[in-house]
């Protein structure tokens, strides 16, 4: 298949053109004028980051701000928003039922340093983006030389293209990084059409591993029997979201069989299964608890689900013993609720963010009686 | 960075390596809980070196977000049973 057929131009334009309509309210403690300023109505690009909107918001609110030094931050229903997560991902994750416009509160003071890393300027966001890109390159190639070898001018152009939403300018530079696209067999295709072996420092399986795809997973559990998300309680703490940064590993000759389901199953085995679990199926403690070290069973953890890999030389962080498996309610990527049977290569080529990560929101559903925390 | 977490929680071995003219720590290898964030490593370095501005990298390659979990970084980028973290006082790998 020619390289151009693996990626949809249309999909790319949708991704880059996608934006969340935002209604941004200044926090009441920072309003010094009467009447208070109306909220700012602004479009937040899905692939962008909230701090990049500050140059537009600051002039809008500046006349009502109290004197002092600004460190801008946003919250949604009281939850401080992590600015290094793309705006679209924040929206997909935190608004179980999409809210249009999305009502956010902006603060110029009182930065909650304990829970949120401060973002002082656009440079912080650029640093975060370039490093995410390097991390993705490292996952794919085992090194990030391609990004490090970009000239200053090219790095600047790349960042500017993201800020301005200029997909052609972005493609001109990003294509030279040769981090994609991947073929139907999920292997990396260079311009010459030859698959490239991806080698990583942590490559313990040797020749059986062909490639790694950078993925960032955000798992949110809705503890209610809900038919629709309107009634889901808002996230009040980042502790209730499981953030997992783990690549999908493509094994030799299996790439063409990979669907979104099989890829996610490899990352979150305790949630995904070959069939939807019937409600009355009970798992024994041994089946539900994937640990190799018995001492983990005593560890107490909040409502978070961690991936456990028993084959690779990795460390288990913590485990949750479940009497019944939580069901996957839905998967959201770029605001789209995906059918799990979609070929994974298509998801990677067409739904990734400019940092070459696939950001995946996973909503699970478990009623309070189902989840036992040990 | 001594362990204060329950004994049942696994630790990740972090090897801190100085880059450029950054001071070398007397003790360079530590164990940290896998569930801790990379921020903890950064803050530890800031305290030990009495410097607020530090550039901290993994495998001399990239700077992870302080929000990243040490366990994920180890699983993805660790080798030989440890996670190599490089620190510099000025930008080493821009």
């Amino acid at each position: 298949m020619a390289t151009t057929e693996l990626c949809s131009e249309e999909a790319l334009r949708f991704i880059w053109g996608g934006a969340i309509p935002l209604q941004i309210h200044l926090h009441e403690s920072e309003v010094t004028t009467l009447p208070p300023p109306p909220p700012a109505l602004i479009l937040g690009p899905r692939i962008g980051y909230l701090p990049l909107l500050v140059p537009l918001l600051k002039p809008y609110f500046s006349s009502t701000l109290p004197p002092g030094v600004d460190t801008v931050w946003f919250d949604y229903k009281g939850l401080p928003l992590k600015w290094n997560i793309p705006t679209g991902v924040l929206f997909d994750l935190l608004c179980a039922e999409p809210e249009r416009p999305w009502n956010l509160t902006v603060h110029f003071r009182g930065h909650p340093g304990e829970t949120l890393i401060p973002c002082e300027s656009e440079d912080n966001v650029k640093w975060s983006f370039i490093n995410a890109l390097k991390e993705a390159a490292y996952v794919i190639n085992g090194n990030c030389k391609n990004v490090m070898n970009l000239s200053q001018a090219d790095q600047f152009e790349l960042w500017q293209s993201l800020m301005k939403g200029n997909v052609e300018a972005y493609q001109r530079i990003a294509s030279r990084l040769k981090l994609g696209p991947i073929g139907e067999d999920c292997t990396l295709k260079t311009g010459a059409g030859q698959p490239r072996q991806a080698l990583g420092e942590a490559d313990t399986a040797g020749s059986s591993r062909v490639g790694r795809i950078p993925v960032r997973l955000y798992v949110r559990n809705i503890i209610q029997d809900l038919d629709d998300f309107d009634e889901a309680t808002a996230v009040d703490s980042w502790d209730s979201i499981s953030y997992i940064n783990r690549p999908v590993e493509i094994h030799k000759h299996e790439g063409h069989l990979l669907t979104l389901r099989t890829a996610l199953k490899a990352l979150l085995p305790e949630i995904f299964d070959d069939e939807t679990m019937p409600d009355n199926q009970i798992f024994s403690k041994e089946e539900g608890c994937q640990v190799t070290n018995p001492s983990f069973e005593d560890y107490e953890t909040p409502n978070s689900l961690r991936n456990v890999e028993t084959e690779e030389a990795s460390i288990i962080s913590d485990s949750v013993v479940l009497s019944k498996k939580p069901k996957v309610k839905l998967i959201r990527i770029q605001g789209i609720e995906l059918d799990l049977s979609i070929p994974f290569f298509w998801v990677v080529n067409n739904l990734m963010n400019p940092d070459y990560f696939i950001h995946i929101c996973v909503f699970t559903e478990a009623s309070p009686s189902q989840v036992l925390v040990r | 960075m001594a362990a204060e977490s329950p004994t049942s929680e696994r630790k990740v071995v972090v090897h801190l390596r100085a880059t450029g003219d950054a001071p070398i720590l007397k003790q360079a290898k530590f164990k940290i809980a896998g569930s801790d964030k990379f921020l903890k490593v950064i803050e530890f370095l800031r305290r030990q070196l009495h410097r607020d501005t530090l550039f901290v990298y993994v495998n001399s390659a990239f700077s992870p977000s302080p929000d990243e979990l040490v366990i994920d970084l180890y699983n993805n980028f660790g080798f030989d049973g440890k996670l190599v973290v490089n620190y510099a006082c000025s930008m080493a790998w821009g």
Side-chain angles (χ1 to χ4, degrees):
Chain A
M1 186 183 267
T3 309
T4 46
E5 294 169 49
L6 298 171
C7 299
S8 157
E9 278 294 311
E10 194 186 14
L12 188 65
R13 271 162 220 293
F14 271 119
I15 301 299
W16 276 70
I20 315 293
L22 302 170
Q23 184 162 245
I24 312 239
H25 310 255
L26 180 63
H27 191 257
E28 53 193 4
S29 68
E30 297 177 26
V31 176
T32 61
T33 56
L34 274 174
L41 295 167
I42 193 172
L43 279 177
R46 275 192 157 273
I47 53 161
Y49 303 89
L50 288 173
L52 299 180
L53 302 173
V54 171
L56 290 168
L57 292 170
K58 206 158 176 178
Y60 184 86
F61 289 120
S62 61
S63 54
T64 64
L65 287 175
V69 180
D70 304 330
T71 305
V72 187
W73 58 286
F74 297 84
D75 85 71
Y76 173 57
K77 294 191 172 169
L79 178 76
L81 298 181
K82 291 181 191 255
W83 56 265
N84 59 319
I85 299 178
T87 305
V89 179
L90 286 171
F91 179 70
D92 290 343
L93 180 65
L94 300 175
C95 276
E97 185 63 38
E99 188 185 300
R100 292 185 185 95
W102 191 23
N103 285 285
L104 298 181
T105 304
V106 67
H107 306 247
F108 288 80
R109 309 289 150 74
H111 189 279
E114 289 302 306
T115 44
L116 201 63
I117 302 151
C119 179
E120 257 117 55
S121 73
E122 173 207 307
D123 277 341
N124 290 149
V125 191
K126 179 186 175 194
W127 173 262
S128 170
F129 170 75
I130 295 288
N131 277 288
L133 188 59
K134 285 182 183 172
E135 187 181 338
Y138 197 101
V139 166
I140 295 168
N141 289 333
N143 64 74
C144 56
K145 288 186 215 165
N146 55 356
V147 181
M148 296 217 276
N149 288 339
L150 284 176
S151 66
Q152 286 277 54
D154 278 348
Q155 251 197 42
F156 177 78
E157 264 305 304
L158 194 67
W159 175 241
Q160 287 293 314
S161 72
L162 179 63
M163 284 217 293
K164 295 180 181 155
N166 185 342
V167 61
E168 288 91 5
Y170 171 82
Q171 289 277 70
R172 255 199 314 273
I173 300 169
S175 57
R176 276 188 259 139
L177 296 173
K178 298 206 197 306
L179 291 172
I182 57 174
E184 281 184 19
D185 59 356
C186 290
T187 61
L188 199 61
K189 306 294 179 201
T190 63
Q194 295 300 312
R196 182 173 355 150
Q197 287 275 354
L199 303 163
E201 301 255 346
D203 195 332
T204 54
S207 58
S208 67
R209 172 127 24 117
V210 175
R212 302 205 294 174
I213 309 288
V215 172
R216 297 209 201 271
L217 281 166
Y218 309 83
V219 186
R220 177 177 167 188
N221 188 54
I222 311 277
I223 314 182
Q224 266 125 333
D225 273 320
L226 296 174
D227 274 325
D228 73 271
F229 278 154
D230 260 344
E231 296 145 48
T233 29
V235 175
D236 61 359
S237 156
W238 286 99
D239 290 338
S240 57
I241 306 264
S242 278
Y243 164 62
I244 300 161
N245 177 5
R246 170 155 256 168
V248 170
E249 283 164 3
I250 314 294
H251 296 277
K252 221 177 195 174
H253 306 310
E254 286 175 5
H256 61 282
L257 301 170
L258 212 58
T259 59
L260 181 58
R261 180 193 302 280
T262 46
L264 287 170
K265 186 174 186 317
L267 296 180
L268 297 169
E270 64 272 18
I271 299 178
F272 287 83
D273 213 301
D274 292 327
E275 304 139 18
T276 325
M277 300 314 303
D279 283 319
N280 55 4
Q281 188 147 353
I282 309 286
F283 278 81
S284 68
K285 196 164 123 176
E286 287 75 42
E287 284 176 43
C289 181
Q290 297 184 34
V291 289
T292 56
N293 184 342
S295 70
F296 279 87
E297 292 176 52
D298 296 317
Y299 182 71
E300 283 199 24
T301 171
N303 205 10
S304 62
L305 298 153
R306 302 291 302 165
N307 179 38
V308 170
E309 199 152 306
T310 49
E311 286 169 358
E312 306 294 331
S314 61
I315 293 177
I316 301 155
S317 58
D318 49 50
S319 66
V320 175
V321 179
L322 307 164
S323 63
K324 299 175 203 174
K325 275 190 181 176
K327 294 192 300 187
V328 177
K329 179 92 176 166
L330 64 82
I331 306 292
R332 249 181 219 152
I333 306 179
Q334 299 288 4
I336 305 164
E337 291 171 18
L338 286 152
D339 187 308
L340 292 179
S341 53
I342 284 187
F344 189 61
F345 87 89
W346 193 93
V347 174
V348 175
N349 287 340
N350 294 292
L351 300 182
M352 67 172 182
N353 269 57
D355 55 7
Y356 278 88
F357 273 89
I358 313 286
H359 296 253
I360 305 178
C361 295
V362 179
F363 286 81
T364 58
E365 182 181 56
S367 63
S369 57
Q370 287 178 307
V371 181
L372 269 182
V373 177
R374 293 259 292 114
Chain B
M1 265 193 335
E4 283 141 9
S5 29
T7 50
S8 58
E9 174 160 346
R10 287 289 285 274
K11 307 282 189 295
V12 169
V13 175
V14 175
H15 190 170
L16 300 169
R17 306 182 81 139
T19 295
D21 56 0
I24 300 172
L25 292 170
K26 244 185 262 180
Q27 195 188 337
K29 278 195 183 160
F30 292 93
K31 280 188 186 173
I32 180 173
S35 57
D36 278 337
K37 292 189 183 166
F38 191 62
L39 178 66
K40 201 158 183 184
V41 178
I42 298 172
E43 283 178 335
F44 173 78
L45 282 166
R46 283 189 182 138
R47 280 197 312 272
Q48 289 292 303
L49 302 172
H50 308 293
R51 265 169 239 256
D52 253 346
T53 310
L54 274 180
F55 293 87
V56 189
Y57 305 84
V58 161
N59 293 341
S60 309
F62 63 91
S63 281
S65 157
D67 263 346
E68 291 291 332
L69 293 176
V70 170
I71 185 68
D72 284 340
L73 293 175
Y74 171 78
N75 285 339
N76 299 342
F77 310 110
F79 60 95
D80 289 346
K82 61 187 191 294
L83 181 67
V84 173
V85 171
N86 319 87
Y87 59 94
C89 297
S90 51
M91 201 183 291
W93 297 282

